[in-house]
Amino acid sequence: MKDDVWKWKSKISASRKLMLKSLMVAKAKEELEQELEEKEEEKARYLEEKAPPIQTSGMSLAELQTLCQELHAKIDVVDEERYDIEAKVLHNTREIKDLNIKVLDLRGKFKRPSLRRVRVSADAILRSLLGSKHKVSLDLRANLKSVKKEDTEKEKTVEVSDWRKNVEAMSGMEGRKKMFDAAKGPNQ
């Protein structure tokens, strides 16, 4: 079933795909331009609300001077706030860098140890899994097939002869039949 999903081919031609892709890009471009225009309008509206245009016509020199002093005082307050915010941002970025360095140091110091092979008996595993409920003892080694050492030594002492004669004797169909019969064994 999974293979069928991957073998499925789209029924849309390449030119149709390209046209759809270009339409999507054009639509995205329009939306992006619209979003930028909305941001500009929002900015203009905010500025009109927060900073209305100043009417200086018909003001005397003393009134203009007091207006300028008020504006300078407001500018000073805004500059102080901006400076405080910049200082906080710099402090936070330094803190973030320091913490990142500490994290990297901790990763470097505490490397995971290489795992070691631990011999645990089946009884110990069952005891750890089942707790005190486990009473039956399993001796897995007793169930393994025992191999006598003498049998393995007899099998290893095969007659050593010239390998070239062996290759010549085994070449052709007769040799393959001999190998097949030897593989079956004398019991069969």
Side-chain angles (χ1 to χ4, degrees):
M1 183 72 182
K2 288 182 182 177
D3 294 335
D4 295 339
V5 173
W6 295 110
K7 289 180 182 176
W8 177 79
K9 293 184 179 180
S10 82
K11 295 181 181 179
I12 301 173
S13 66
S15 60
R16 175 101 171 125
K17 279 184 188 178
L18 186 62
M19 184 189 72
L20 289 173
K21 195 181 277 188
S22 63
L23 286 174
M24 288 172 58
V25 168
K27 180 70 173 168
K29 186 178 178 183
E30 287 176 12
E31 289 179 1
L32 186 64
E33 288 173 355
Q34 186 178 2
E35 187 178 324
L36 289 174
E37 288 175 10
E38 288 175 0
K39 282 184 179 179
E40 287 294 324
E41 291 171 2
E42 178 82 25
K43 184 178 178 182
R45 196 170 349 110
Y46 180 81
L47 286 175
E48 284 177 19
E49 181 183 315
K50 294 291 181 179
I54 301 172
Q55 297 293 331
T56 57
S57 61
M59 293 183 124
S60 66
L61 184 63
E63 290 173 338
L64 286 175
Q65 286 178 345
T66 57
L67 179 66
C68 286
Q69 288 173 355
E70 289 173 8
L71 289 176
H72 282 291
K74 287 181 182 179
I75 289 172
D76 289 341
V77 169
V78 170
D79 276 344
E80 286 175 11
E81 288 178 6
R82 183 181 54 83
Y83 178 78
D84 291 344
I85 291 172
E86 281 181 2
K88 285 180 185 177
V89 168
L90 284 173
H91 178 72
N92 287 341
T93 53
R94 280 191 207 119
E95 241 182 76
I96 289 171
K97 284 180 183 178
D98 291 343
L99 290 174
N100 282 336
I101 290 170
K102 285 181 182 177
V103 166
L104 291 174
D105 286 346
L106 288 175
R107 280 186 191 162
K109 285 181 185 175
F110 302 109
K111 291 183 181 176
R112 290 184 181 175
S114 59
L115 298 177
R116 295 181 189 144
R117 219 174 261 250
V118 179
R119 290 184 175 251
V120 180
S121 67
D123 293 331
I125 292 172
L126 286 173
R127 247 184 272 120
S128 66
L129 291 174
L130 302 175
S132 61
K133 296 177 186 175
H134 172 64
K135 293 181 181 176
V136 179
S137 108
L138 287 177
D139 190 11
L140 295 176
R141 290 188 180 175
N143 296 335
L144 294 175
K145 182 179 177 183
S146 61
V147 178
K148 294 181 182 176
K149 201 172 192 181
E150 299 168 0
D151 292 342
T152 56
E153 288 176 6
K154 287 179 185 175
E155 290 174 7
K156 286 183 183 177
T157 57
V158 178
E159 183 178 321
V160 178
S161 62
D162 191 12
W163 62 272
R164 287 169 281 194
K165 290 179 185 174
N166 194 14
V167 169
E168 289 171 2
M170 292 298 176
S171 64
M173 287 303 289
E174 298 83 22
R176 290 197 180 105
K177 186 176 181 203
K178 286 179 194 173
M179 288 173 57
F180 182 72
D181 290 340
K184 276 187 175 180
N187 297 342
Q188 296 176 354

